[in-house]
Amino acid sequence: MQSHDIRLPVTPVTPLAERRASYQAEFKCAKSTGEVQMEPRVVELETHLEYIRRDMEEVRGDVKSIKHRLAYSAGGTAVVLGLLGWIANSRFDQLVALLAR
């Protein structure tokens, strides 16, 4: 039997202290007014969050619409079944006569 070793490519991992220092250096870049420039990734995340919120509002509206439709159809079904039951009950003797033939 042959042994099959799966070798994954080794990716270098930067130490946490170096990453933290590079991030702090990026954030220390400030405008003369004291405003810190945001990274493009943060702006992108904010944009995605806005889209997610908008989509969630649409989903809430859709769920509310579905609930109303279900309630309406359940009420209609109850009325139809009630009418059928009433007709069957009032014409029970005729139904028995039809089935007895």
Side-chain angles (χ1 to χ4, degrees), residues 40-87:
R41 292 181 293 169
V42 175
V43 174
E44 185 178 349
L45 287 173
E46 287 178 344
T47 305
H48 287 303
L49 185 61
E50 289 175 12
Y51 288 140
I52 290 170
R53 285 182 177 166
R54 186 195 64 203
D55 292 343
M56 287 301 296
E57 289 299 322
E58 289 179 12
V59 168
R60 284 185 186 128
D62 292 344
V63 167
K64 191 179 288 186
S65 174
I66 290 170
K67 282 182 181 179
H68 288 202
R69 288 181 183 178
L70 283 174
Y72 181 76
S73 63
T77 303
V79 168
V80 168
L81 288 176
L83 285 173
L84 288 175
W86 177 71
I87 291 170

Side-chain angles (χ1 to χ4, degrees), residues 11 14 18 25 39 67-69:
T11 57
T14 57
E18 288 180 23
E39 291 185 42
K67 282 182 181 179
H68 288 202
R69 288 181 183 178

